[in-house]
Amino acid sequence: MAFGDQPAYLRVAGDLRQKIVAGELPPHTRLPSQARIREQYGVSDTVALEARKVLMAEGLVEGRSGSGTYVRERPERRPVVRTGYRSVGESTPFRQEQADPRVKGTWDSRSEQGAATAAVAERLRISTGDKVMRTDYLFRCSGEPSMLSTSWEPLALTGRTPVMLPEEGPLAGRGVVERMAAIDLVVDNVTEEISARPGLAQETLALGGVPGHWVLMVTRTYFAGGCPVETADVVMLAERHRVAYHLPVK
């Protein structure tokens, strides 16, 4: 489809987008009103409204109750470095998710026993309904929310052991590999898949974003001798992060 053949609302949105990217409409600037867009571009109220909706869906502008629509400040995208597990140096849940040693972080967590859903059971190669330990994490960088993670470990492996609760006991706050080694399970493989999807409202709000904005999700599973010992979903705002893999050549 040629540019001139695009629907009017996309042409208007495209011109406003270009002005935002070029700095003609800098962050915190109020977007032209619906009436102003109608007058400037010679379009209907419906077209003006749809153009604004496009910019909001793209995360370029945000509505402020009783005030109008404003250009959003574009955050600097932080690198999330994935290097696989390293047996030396710091080993913590934060280091599992962010391997860049220059980035310092903290986290909050909550663990509880539950029954494996069909999806979790498939990833852990157990039966639906089997007991698992679920742990929810909120990771912060420089005090700001950065990542969410939900992990599941089969209680058939960790139950009644000192590492049953990831954040309690003698190895509280250590990484999966170190904790599993304490119960004679040697982690020798990690798989990860990355996908993108619209964020759930509770996810984006917890991360300081806007409901509906897209998130990156890393689906990770640790294996010991071919047996899954932990699986997790790591969620981060797509507009604030880029994933960088540093993989050794064998």
Side-chain angles (χ1 to χ4, degrees), residues 26-224:
H28 310 296
T29 298
R30 185 173 180 177
L31 196 72
S33 67
Q34 189 167 313
R36 178 61 179 159
I37 292 175
R38 182 190 63 209
E39 177 184 340
Q40 181 177 350
Y41 293 96
V43 297
S44 67
D45 281 335
T46 299
V47 168
L49 178 60
E50 290 302 314
R52 289 156 63 94
K53 286 182 178 179
V54 168
L55 297 177
M56 292 187 73
E58 293 176 351
L60 293 174
V61 301
E62 61 184 354
R64 298 179 186 175
S65 180
S67 180
T69 304
Y70 291 79
V71 177
R72 294 184 67 227
E73 185 170 1
R74 302 296 289 170
E76 181 180 354
R77 299 181 73 187
R78 297 172 176 168
V80 177
V81 180
R82 319 294 293 177
T83 62
Y85 176 76
R86 294 174 295 174
S87 59
V88 296
E90 186 181 12
S91 173
T92 67
F94 183 82
R95 277 294 154 244
Q96 289 176 186
E97 314 308 348
Q98 169 59 273
D100 189 337
R102 297 168 298 179
V103 179
K104 304 301 179 183
T106 59
W107 65 92
D108 298 323
S109 66
R110 182 182 64 185
S111 297
E112 62 180 1
Q113 295 187 35
T117 64
V120 169
E122 181 179 5
R123 287 160 59 175
L124 290 174
R125 299 178 188 170
I126 59 179
S127 298
T128 301
D130 282 359
K131 295 296 183 181
V132 293
M133 183 64 69
R134 170 177 170 154
T135 304
D136 295 302
Y137 291 93
L138 170 60
F139 296 98
R140 295 184 174 87
C141 293
S142 302
E144 295 294 325
S146 176
M147 290 179 284
L148 298 172
S149 175
T150 302
S151 68
W152 298 268
E153 297 177 355
L155 285 174
L157 296 178
T158 63
R160 300 179 182 272
T161 74
V163 301
M164 183 176 73
L165 291 168
E167 297 299 313
E168 295 183 21
L171 292 177
R174 309 307 294 176
V176 171
V177 176
E178 188 172 346
R179 291 176 48 250
M180 293 301 161
I183 57 174
D184 298 324
L185 292 173
V186 179
V187 173
D188 53 15
N189 190 30
V190 184
T191 64
E192 290 191 345
E193 296 180 2
I194 298 181
S195 58
R197 59 171 172 77
L200 303 178
Q202 62 268 31
E203 293 172 335
T204 53
L205 290 174
L207 292 170
V210 178
H213 283 184
W214 282 66
V215 297
L216 297 174
M217 186 169 74
V218 179
T219 302
R220 182 200 61 223
T221 304
Y222 282 94
F223 294 84

